[in-house]
Every structure is written in structure tokens, then in C-alpha cells.
Amino acid sequence: MPSVLGYFLKIELAFEQKLLLALSASTVDASPYAEEVRRAQPQIDWAAFRRLAARHRVGALIHANLDQLPALEIPDDLRIWLKNCVKKNAFDYMRAVHIASDITGALKAAGISCSLMKGCSIAAQFYAQPSHRAMIDIDLLVERDRYYEAERLLIERGFKRLYPLFDLDDRKRETFYRLHNAFTFIRPTDGLQIDLHWRLVNNPVPLASLDSNWRELVEWHDDTGRSLPTLDVTTHFIYVMVHGAKHGWVRLKWLVDLDKMVRSLSNEQIEEVAQQILANGLGNLAHGSFHLAFLSLGTPVPPALQGLGDIEKSRRITRLQAGMLFTDTPEKPHRLKDWRYYADRMRHSFLLHRGKTYRRHAMAIELARPADLELISVAPQRWWLLAFLSPLLGVWRGFRNFALKSD
């Protein structure tokens, strides 16, 4: 019998992928694959299953749901690995809460508006236990006009800029601001990473209205045991949805976030989410993402969130997202052999929004490498030129590497 995704999207999943989805759903019974994983016990490739859990960063969540499939015979080494995922998540969460409290408190004292996104805020508010959600970094949004000060505050606390790694003069910095939405910092003593944002997502068009007024939507919560700033629930939900969609939902963890947030929204909040989706031109993006969550995790889609976009375009978005979610991503970026993957990613990106200048930004994001600003200087008002220059630099690097190997 074909899977739900196989029927709608012409994608047939391996049993290991179906098992991963079932154990990542809110409950196994909520999963579209509940019946199949309960009745079938084929020869499972546990090594492949572990690789999937690691790629999608849902090991701790799987561990939490294992008791719902008591007949499942899991190898001892895998069970230990899953348990260690819980321990690691707990440590990462507590460390993130501690440093986030220190940094946001200092920013608040300096009069700099800030907000945490995803991470410990979602783990505390929407998961049964914060340790069920993996955390790799801290995403912190600060006001653009005070970014220099926020950056210095991190450096004073032992963080060093990891991306971009090269020096930026004012011209290159301004161009980088146009092409990206965050710098990445790392603390060498323990590897803790912070993405310091000046904009919600790379492309400024889909969330332009929120980028201009997010400071008015910040609430300070103590769900984590510390007072931390985060966007109000409906705005945070919109951000989580757009963030996951722009990446093609390549990590199941992000889709699980969407599932858990949808299930927690009140009727009033659902109505507000629907209004924000329509006001920001996100109907196709939302429809496609909700459809993917429904087919993958059994996510309930409230009536107010149904039919917000064009059905055919939304179905194309879902199909492309499913391809990115359930197939392996290229090991190295921008290799010619992976052109089909990047072509699908470009098609997907272009379908997400129809706003003015959106596609120009989308093309630049897909083709440009902001790190190339180390080699060339592009005027901020001509930031889009990097979309043409980066591929040429890539070809040059390829020839150079080939020549070096030949020598």
C-alpha cells in the first residue's frame, strides 16, 4: 500500500523514514503512518534510521515517544545514543538559557531592543520537556541601528565572529546587510554559537512589515525560569513557518516545531495568524507548508488556516519541499553534479511569494555567496551583482583547484 506522501506527491518512503515520522509526531497515533509502523516489523536498517534521526535532529523526541511502540526492538547502542541526545539537549538548553539571560539582560539595560527566536523559547513553551528539542545555536534579533553595540557586547563576553570571517569595511558591511540577515558568533571556550540577526529572514520582502515593527511585538516570558524576550506567539509562529519554508523544511525538527505550535494556538490566535498570512502575501507558502506537515506528521490544519493560497501552486510547493525533506542534501554546496537539487530549490524559492522585488532577492540568495565580498567589493545599492559574480568566482575556484591537483 503506498504511503500518504507517496499517493499525493509521488514520493515513496523507506520504512525507516516512516518510522522516523511516526516517532516524531505529537503521538504515534496522530501520525499518518501509525497503522503501518504498528503492524509491520520488516528488517529495519537501524544504521540508516540513526543517520536520519541525526540529520533531522529529532533523536531526543524519538526517545520520548518510544514507549508508544513497545513491540519495537531497538538495538541497545541505538537506545543509548537516543538517551544521550536527551542529555545533550538538556545541557544545551540550560546553557542557552543562562547565556541568553545574561546577553538579553545586558541589551535591555543598554536600551537595545532584542528578541530570541526559536531555540529555548520554543523548547520551553511548546514541548513537553525542553530536552526533547535539539538546540544548535541561539538566534537573537536586535535592532539594526544598534547592531554595532550588540556585536561589541558579544565580543566582550568572549565571542568571536565566525561568519563572515574576514574584515568588513563600512561599504562591505552595508552590502552584506543587504544580502544576509545575521552574523554568526562562536565562543571558543565551549563552541556555543549565536546568530545575531538584524532581520528576521534573508529575503526582506515576505516579512517586511514585521521587520519594521517587531520591537512592538516583543514579550518577556519566564517559561525558562529566567525572564527572556521573545516575539508574541502569533508573530513567532509566522517567523517559524517562513524560516522553515525558505529552507524547504530540510530538517524535520522545524516541521515538528510547526506541528506543536499549531496544536497550541487558541482560536483567537489562529484567526490572527490567518490575518497575518494574508496581509504578508504568504498564502501559498502557508498552504504548502501546512499540507506538508499534515501529510508528514498528521498536523491538524484549522479551518481558518485552510485555503489561504492557490491550490495548484501550493501543491507544487509541497512537492518540492517533500523532495528536499526526504532526500539527501548535497554534501558540499554549489557542486555542478547537484544541479537538479539546486534547480528545484530555486523553483521552490520563487514560488513562495509574489511581492515586489521578491524574486530578485530570492535569486541573489540562491546564487550569491556573501563570503565572496572578501575578494570583491560591491556597492550596497548594487548588491544583486553578487548573484552574477559568485558563480563566476566559483568557476574560477574550480579551475584553480583542478590546476593545483594537476601539479
Side-chain angles (χ1 to χ4, degrees):
M1 178 181 178
S3 67
V4 179
L5 276 167
Y7 179 78
F8 282 99
L9 306 176
K10 312 305 180 187
I11 293 175
E12 190 51 55
L13 303 183
F15 185 83
E16 291 79 12
Q17 291 174 312
K18 297 173 186 177
L19 182 61
L20 183 85
L21 291 173
L23 288 170
S24 299
S26 61
T27 64
V28 171
D29 287 335
S31 167
Y33 305 100
E35 181 181 351
E36 185 172 354
V37 298
R38 286 192 184 282
R39 76 165 189 270
Q41 287 291 325
Q43 189 66 32
I44 299 174
D45 185 341
W46 289 113
F49 180 81
R50 175 170 169 168
R51 287 194 297 271
L52 286 168
R55 173 198 156 179
H56 292 288
R57 298 173 184 169
V58 291
L61 190 61
I62 290 171
H63 183 271
N65 290 334
L66 280 179
D67 60 353
Q68 298 177 45
L69 290 177
L72 191 65
E73 297 181 1
I74 293 183
D76 290 341
D77 61 334
L78 176 58
R79 193 178 291 272
I80 292 171
W81 179 80
L82 294 171
K83 186 175 182 179
N84 285 337
C85 288
V86 179
K87 293 179 180 178
K88 183 180 186 304
N89 288 358
F91 172 80
D92 290 344
Y93 171 79
M94 290 185 289
R95 182 180 62 169
V97 168
H98 175 74
I99 191 64
S101 176
D102 172 49
I103 292 172
T104 58
L107 290 169
K108 183 179 181 181
I112 302 174
S113 298
C114 62
S115 178
L116 294 168
M117 302 186 296
K118 300 188 282 112
C120 53
S121 297
I122 285 184
Q125 292 184 56
F126 302 106
Y127 282 72
Q129 296 292 333
S131 59
H132 292 173
R133 187 186 189 277
M135 285 186 54
I136 302 301
D137 54 23
I138 296 173
D139 287 282
L140 180 60
L141 177 66
V142 299
E143 51 185 305
R144 163 78 178 274
D145 294 342
R146 308 287 298 276
Y147 195 85
Y148 269 116
E149 297 169 71
E151 191 174 354
R152 285 199 301 270
L153 189 146
L154 289 186
I155 293 171
E156 289 169 0
R157 281 160 173 74
F159 286 86
K160 294 185 177 181
R161 196 173 70 206
L162 179 66
Y163 181 77
L165 196 56
F166 56 92
D167 292 333
L168 291 166
D169 57 26
D170 290 344
R171 173 185 165 109
K172 288 185 176 182
R173 177 180 281 263
E174 183 61 32
T175 304
F176 199 98
Y177 283 162
R178 305 285 184 95
L179 287 161
H180 216 317
N181 66 322
F183 287 167
T184 297
F185 295 83
I186 194 165
R187 191 165 62 181
T189 54
D190 62 358
L192 178 62
Q193 180 177 313
I194 293 181
D195 286 347
L196 190 65
H197 294 249
W198 56 83
R199 188 167 60 238
L200 286 162
V201 294
N202 282 9
N203 196 316
V205 177
L207 297 180
S209 63
L210 295 183
D211 278 323
S212 64
N213 71 351
W214 65 264
R215 286 170 288 188
E216 303 167 13
L217 305 172
V218 175
E219 301 173 346
W220 289 74
H221 294 277
D222 58 3
D223 308 80
T224 62
R226 304 282 185 96
S227 181
L228 295 174
T230 188
L231 300 170
D232 69 70
V233 172
T234 54
T235 304
H236 202 180
F237 178 86
I238 295 293
Y239 164 72
V240 167
M241 179 184 69
V242 173
H243 170 270
K246 77 182 180 68
H247 286 296
W249 299 106
V250 295
R251 295 202 190 281
L252 183 58
K253 178 184 77 168
W254 297 331
L255 204 61
V256 171
D257 287 345
L258 186 78
D259 175 82
K260 293 191 175 297
M261 294 182 82
V262 165
R263 293 175 183 276
S264 72
L265 294 175
S266 66
N267 290 334
E268 182 180 355
Q269 289 169 334
I270 288 170
E271 292 290 342
E272 186 176 344
V273 165
Q275 292 174 14
Q276 286 202 40
I277 287 172
L278 294 175
N280 288 280
L282 301 172
N284 293 341
L285 181 153
H287 192 151
S289 298
F290 293 150
H291 193 206
L292 180 67
F294 170 73
L295 296 177
S296 303
L297 300 170
T299 304
V301 184
L305 299 182
Q306 297 176 13
L308 297 177
D310 178 270
I311 293 178
E312 181 54 35
K313 289 181 180 178
S314 300
R315 182 63 57 86
R316 287 168 61 194
I317 289 173
T318 307
R319 187 176 295 115
L320 290 166
Q321 289 175 343
M324 289 183 276
L325 175 62
F326 296 113
T327 58
D328 292 334
T329 55
E331 295 179 5
K332 296 182 179 179
H334 302 104
R335 292 190 304 182
L336 187 60
K337 62 179 289 188
D338 300 313
W339 68 271
R340 289 185 184 277
Y341 172 85
Y342 290 107
D344 283 348
R345 200 169 79 171
M346 183 75 78
R347 288 168 56 209
H348 167 260
S349 184
F350 278 6
L351 285 168
L352 293 180
H353 202 273
R354 295 181 61 189
K356 185 178 180 181
T357 76
Y358 169 79
R359 289 195 171 187
R360 185 171 65 172
H361 282 89
M363 183 181 72
I365 290 167
E366 294 296 339
L367 297 179
R369 293 179 71 253
D372 284 335
L373 290 172
E374 181 180 13
L375 302 175
I376 56 176
S377 182
V378 177
Q381 61 270 28
R382 293 186 174 86
W383 55 268
W384 47 269
L385 284 173
L386 207 63
F388 300 97
L389 296 174
S390 281
L392 294 176
L393 288 170
V395 172
W396 172 76
R397 281 190 292 265
F399 278 118
R400 182 193 61 183
N401 294 337
F402 177 78
L404 290 174
K405 288 180 180 179
S406 298
D407 290 343

